[in-house]
Amino acid sequence: MLAVRKPEPPKEPTRERIISTASAQILLKGITNTSLSDIAKAIKISKGTLYYHFRSKDSLIEEIARQNFDEVATRIREELEKKPAKKGKEVVAIAMEALTIERKNAKIVHLIFLEILHGNRKLGMKILKIYQEMKKTIFDALLPFCKDEAEAAKLTSLVLAIAEGANLGNMLGMNEIDTSESVKYLKV
């Protein structure tokens, strides 16, 4: 009698496969043109399995955003733990690097922001909360180098704006500034 071999389960857990496949699909087709059906077909799972992990497309997008923003915050914290900053400019440089190093993540975040700008307010409120958590990581790291919380808040917003501008420039292929160079123009 022939022994029937069971197929080996994927090495990556289903939830992570869904997230990585959804991210890839979104990068290829955008959020609007990516359906949960497309994602399920791409990784050969049923829609029921996908819905078991994510009750809606918005909950999946929320998790993608969470992972991206958590990755940035973690990268900042880890860099500062390895080498504590002696100057605010060092914190800014670390934050800029963390915010701009992963171009595909930056593109996904921009696509998510566009989805929100096109009217998905419910998703927008959830993403904003996640974004604020990442922003607080930068704020907390900058605060010791600022005269007060107001200055730290303004500097944090400036760092985020420069990084987002750099990411957009990179996506459009017209970035004329190295984000690490921009640090020298800030008085921190």
Side-chain angles (χ1 to χ4, degrees):
M1 181 157 112
L2 289 172
V4 178
R5 288 178 115 193
K6 277 186 164 181
E8 284 190 37
K11 298 201 185 315
E12 189 178 23
T14 302
R15 184 175 176 84
E16 293 308 312
R17 286 181 31 234
I18 292 168
I19 292 167
S20 65
T21 301
S23 296
Q25 294 283 314
I26 288 168
L27 284 172
L28 284 173
K29 302 190 281 187
I31 291 174
T32 304
N33 296 324
T34 300
S35 70
L36 292 179
S37 267
D38 295 336
I39 296 163
K41 283 180 196 169
I43 55 175
K44 298 174 177 67
I45 61 171
S46 70
K47 283 198 287 186
T49 300
L50 194 146
Y51 280 107
Y52 172 78
H53 293 280
F54 298 98
R55 66 184 178 282
S56 67
K57 186 173 168 180
D58 279 2
S59 66
L60 176 55
I61 293 167
E62 181 184 347
E63 185 57 30
I64 291 168
R66 179 179 313 286
Q67 284 191 6
N68 279 284
F69 292 139
D70 284 353
E71 186 178 316
V72 168
T74 298
R75 189 174 276 142
I76 292 167
R77 283 191 297 272
E78 286 175 353
E79 285 301 312
L80 289 171
E81 283 172 16
K82 277 195 272 186
K83 185 180 176 203
K86 293 181 177 102
K87 296 179 181 176
K89 286 185 181 191
E90 294 170 4
V91 175
V92 171
I94 289 167
M96 293 290 245
E97 176 77 9
L99 288 160
T100 59
I101 195 162
E102 288 290 335
R103 291 196 177 178
K104 69 178 176 63
N105 291 0
K107 184 174 181 183
I108 288 171
V109 168
H110 276 277
L111 290 169
I112 291 169
F113 286 160
L114 283 173
E115 175 75 7
I116 293 165
L117 288 172
H118 284 115
N120 193 337
R121 305 286 295 161
K122 187 177 171 188
L123 177 63
M125 296 309 290
K126 291 177 180 180
I127 301 293
L128 180 60
K129 195 173 174 185
I130 300 164
Y131 182 81
Q132 294 294 356
E133 292 168 14
M134 183 266 306
K135 187 176 178 179
K136 186 171 179 349
T137 299
I138 299 168
F139 172 87
D140 289 344
L142 286 170
L143 187 57
F145 303 100
C146 296
K147 66 180 178 191
D148 57 26
E149 287 187 0
E151 185 177 84
K154 288 176 187 172
L155 184 55
T156 299
S157 293
L158 184 60
V159 167
L160 288 164
I162 293 169
E164 288 303 314
N167 284 333
L168 188 56
N170 284 333
M171 283 184 272
L172 296 172
M174 52 190 237
N175 207 4
E176 297 173 5
I177 187 165
D178 176 3
T179 52
S180 61
E181 285 291 308
S182 64
V183 173
K184 69 183 177 186
Y185 299 105
L186 299 174
K187 295 179 181 170
V188 187

